[in-house]
Amino acid sequence: MSNFIENFHIIKAIALPATNHKGTRVKLFSQRFKQSVTIPATYGTKDAAIAWLKSNGHKVIGQDCTHPDYDLFICEGENFSFKPLKEVKE
């Protein structure tokens, strides 16, 4: 029996409600890289987060949407390398 356990990049997504000056947004947190980004959420928290992550090179392979205040997305790295949230396409 192997003791090998796969490593993943977990991204936490929290919905931010609209204000007088900004529309609905999603804040994505990466504990691995100790950073966050805020993105517009024109079509729902979960869909906006997944679309942004995929379009910026994150391989989303799973999710945990059981918590009422946030969603967790599981991203797989290639050869144990994970992409920081702040490393986005220009």
Side-chain angles (χ1 to χ4, degrees):
M1 178 185 265
S2 173
N3 288 330
F4 177 76
I5 297 175
E6 187 75 36
N7 287 307
F8 296 101
H9 187 179
I10 306 299
I11 309 293
K12 183 178 185 178
I14 297 177
L16 301 174
T19 66
N20 289 340
H21 304 285
K22 295 181 181 179
T24 304
R25 295 155 292 138
V26 177
K27 188 157 192 135
L28 302 173
F29 296 93
S30 166
Q31 186 64 30
R32 178 178 291 273
F33 293 104
K34 307 283 190 244
Q35 59 183 218
S36 66
V37 295
T38 302
I39 60 171
T42 55
Y43 47 89
T45 303
K46 186 166 74 168
D47 292 337
I50 290 171
W52 187 91
L53 288 166
K54 287 182 175 182
S55 71
N56 284 285
H58 298 272
K59 185 178 178 187
V60 180
I61 61 166
Q63 64 183 343
D64 175 3
C65 299
T66 58
H67 197 280
D69 297 328
Y70 59 83
D71 295 320
L72 296 174
F73 298 99
I74 304 158
C75 299
E76 184 176 57
E78 202 168 300
N79 298 323
F80 299 105
S81 64
F82 298 94
K83 191 173 185 175
L85 291 178
K86 301 259 180 169
E87 188 179 301
V88 298
K89 292 180 181 178
E90 296 296 325

